[in-house]
Every structure is written in structure tokens, then in C-alpha cells.
Amino acid sequence: MKRMVLFLLCITNALAQNKVKTDCNTIFVCLDSISRNAIFSNSYLKETLFFCKVETTTTNVQTYSGLYLIGKSATLEFVQPQKGNKIGDKLGDFGIEFKTRKLGQLDVVFENSKKNHLKVDTLTIKFNQADTLLPWYKELSFKKRNFELSVLEYQKEFLKYLDFNDNEISNEMTYEQFNEHLSGGKKYPRQFNKMKSVTILINKNDLQSLKQFCELNQMKKGKNSFYNDDFKINYTLSKSTVAAAIKKIEVEFINPQPQQKIQLTKQLQFEVNGSSGQFIFNN
């Protein structure tokens, strides 16, 4: 009997070791210039809700530019379309990115994907720094026609470049702690706290990949949704093979805000309702 109990404990421990806590803290959408400019020129969004930054990034894979809405523990990226065949180059392309909290945890996620015979892509992304390609992050992703679902892990070289010490690198770190380090401990100056949910339109052919990705990130199945304690992916099934699309992105604020609707463009609206707000895409 004791041997059986010990055997069961070993199985339980092994299963527990295969669980990795990941967080959704980045969503990117390829958006038209009129909508991007409307966000950046709106004083309430720019000066109260979101820390806005326009930036161009060059990596070993591609060069892209966009408007970044940086929060306390999340980032929204509205990238501009460009000539190319990478996901993110064309209007409507989008990505949902989770991150691990500790170096080496992506290896566990990858092993879990292999055990479940999932078809995933793996890649190390490097960015140009003083004529040197510096390892930035590794990713595991499900790439579809116009969107990708990814799990990312910052690399040691990148964290060292940002002056994280060995002790910080070896311990678990949330994205909020990562941002606190970059700001030197300064109080976050806006209201965007974190991501709450995303709503997507998806066809039946791509639903299986969404399900596999969510299960890989320890998310539970709900009615037309996958969720954990912090984040939810809602989906509507299209009746055809049309490209997938983001319909809403919901964010959480640090403090409640006055209720209002802001019509940014014909294609984009932002609604504020107390402690949350949402971008609504009419695509």
C-alpha cells in the first residue's frame, strides 16, 4: 500500500512539474494609419489611459513599425501594414502572445506540446544592437493564415542587456515586475493595468489550433471561450473559411473611469465603462 501511495505521489509531482504559469500580456493588430493616428492624437487615450510610443523594430526575421500602448503589465501593439508575407504585414493580421515567467520554462511548454503531438513552430528572435544580433526571445507558436498564437520567453542575453542581475533572472518574474525594473521603480503614469479579454472571429478549420494553444497555457474551456483567472479568449465561429479577425480587446484600468464612447474612426471605437475599456473593431 505504501508503495502505491508513493507511486501516486510521484505521478502527481511529475504532472505538477509539467504545468507552467504563462501570462497574456501582448496583443498585436495590423491597423490602418488613420485609426493609429486617431488613437495617438486623442488626448484622453494618450495622456490618461495609455502610455503611447511609436517605434520601429528590426530583428533577424523582419522590420516593423507601430504604435505601442504600454501598460503596467501588458502591451497593445498596433503595427502598420507593409510589403511582405509575414504575419503582421497585412491589415487585419493579429497575434496573441503569452510569456513565461522564468528562463527555461518554455522548454517545459515545448515538451508538453511534443507529448500531445502538436504542430508548432519554434524560433529565436534577435534584434539589432550596435551592429550585433542580440538574442531577444524564443517563441513557440501556432501560425495560421493571418494570425499567430505564441508563447514567448525572454533570453538571458537580453535580460543582461537590460541590467537584470543573475538572481533576478533565475527567479520568476511577471511582466509587471519586468516593467518596474525598466522604469527604475517609478510609479506607472497612466491607467492601463492589464489585458482582460479578447474576442475573435475564427473559422472551424482554425478552432483546433486555438483549443490546443489554450490548453497548452493551462486555460479552461467555457462556452465559446477559453479562460484562466486573469484572461479570457472569446470566439465566434464563422460559417465560412474567411480570415480570422479581432473584434474586441478589453483592458483593465488601475482606477475607475467615467463611462463614455469614443468613435475614433469608422473602423474603430473605444468604450470606457468604469474599471475597464475596450477597443471595438468594425472589420
Side-chain angles (χ1 to χ4, degrees):
M1 184 64 183
K2 289 182 179 179
R3 290 181 180 178
M4 178 60 71
V5 171
L6 182 60
F7 176 69
L8 291 173
L9 285 173
C10 289
I11 292 178
T12 302
N13 289 336
L15 290 173
Q17 290 169 1
N18 286 334
K19 289 186 177 181
V20 171
K21 175 62 177 174
T22 58
D23 308 289
C24 178
N25 48 51
T26 301
I27 295 177
F28 72 81
V29 185
C30 186
L31 199 62
D32 63 277
S33 60
I34 296 175
S35 297
R36 291 196 317 276
N37 291 337
I39 295 171
F40 195 70
S41 61
N42 185 283
S43 59
Y44 178 58
L45 267 61
K46 184 178 179 180
E47 297 171 9
T48 300
L49 300 184
F50 302 100
F51 182 81
C52 299
K53 183 180 181 182
V54 176
E55 190 169 77
T56 297
T57 303
T58 299
T59 73
N60 57 319
V61 175
Q62 64 185 133
T63 297
Y64 53 93
S65 300
L67 169 63
Y68 294 76
L69 309 186
I70 302 170
K72 191 174 182 181
S73 57
T75 299
L76 281 173
E77 302 179 8
F78 295 116
V79 298
Q80 66 183 36
Q82 57 185 353
K83 294 180 180 179
N85 58 1
K86 302 292 184 183
I87 296 173
D89 288 344
K90 294 178 175 59
L91 285 174
D93 287 3
F94 68 91
I96 301 173
E97 299 176 355
F98 281 62
K99 284 190 178 71
T100 65
R101 293 186 173 187
K102 187 178 180 181
L103 201 63
Q105 290 182 332
L106 189 64
D107 293 335
V108 179
V109 177
F110 181 62
E111 287 302 315
N112 288 340
S113 73
K114 289 201 299 184
K115 288 177 184 177
N116 290 285
H117 309 289
L118 306 183
K119 294 182 179 180
V120 298
D121 292 303
T122 56
L123 188 65
T124 297
I125 303 296
K126 302 176 181 180
F127 73 94
N128 288 337
Q129 175 58 37
D131 297 324
T132 300
L133 283 175
L134 182 71
W136 183 5
Y137 60 83
K138 284 185 178 179
E139 70 170 18
L140 175 154
S141 62
F142 295 77
K143 295 184 184 295
K144 310 304 292 184
R145 178 170 45 160
N146 73 314
F147 72 95
E148 65 181 22
L149 309 167
S150 308
V151 185
L152 277 56
E153 184 171 279
Y154 288 138
Q155 295 303 283
K156 186 174 184 179
E157 295 90 339
F158 174 65
L159 295 173
K160 284 281 191 181
Y161 168 73
L162 296 177
D163 293 326
F164 285 91
N165 60 45
D166 290 334
N167 183 58
E168 290 170 322
I169 293 172
S170 64
N171 289 312
E172 282 201 352
M173 183 192 324
T174 65
Y175 197 54
E176 180 178 344
Q177 292 169 323
F178 175 83
N179 281 345
E180 284 179 355
H181 175 94
L182 296 187
S183 69
K186 294 179 182 178
K187 182 180 178 181
Y188 176 66
R190 301 290 189 271
Q191 288 296 318
F192 177 24
N193 185 30
K194 65 178 184 179
M195 223 79 74
K196 286 192 69 175
S197 71
V198 62
T199 301
I200 63 175
L201 177 70
I202 192 171
N203 62 57
K204 291 182 180 179
N205 294 336
D206 293 332
L207 181 59
Q208 182 64 13
S209 293
L210 175 64
K211 179 177 182 291
Q212 292 171 345
F213 173 76
C214 290
E215 290 176 346
L216 201 58
N217 285 284
Q218 315 299 329
M219 300 182 80
K220 299 176 182 178
K221 179 72 175 72
K223 183 178 180 181
N224 280 34
S225 67
F226 296 93
Y227 67 94
N228 56 29
D229 292 339
D230 302 307
F231 182 70
K232 188 175 185 180
I233 300 177
N234 302 298
Y235 66 87
T236 300
L237 279 179
S238 64
K239 296 181 180 180
S240 64
T241 56
V242 297
I246 279 193
K247 307 305 290 183
K248 295 179 183 178
I249 300 175
E250 183 185 17
V251 300
E252 179 184 278
F253 300 132
I254 296 170
N255 298 305
Q257 300 295 307
Q259 186 170 342
Q260 57 183 299
K261 294 182 180 180
I262 304 171
Q263 192 69 47
L264 295 163
T265 65
K266 290 182 179 180
Q267 290 75 34
L268 184 63
Q269 180 176 310
F270 189 74
E271 293 186 356
V272 180
N273 187 13
S275 61
S276 67
Q278 57 181 355
F279 285 99
I280 301 173
F281 301 84
N282 300 312
N283 43 21

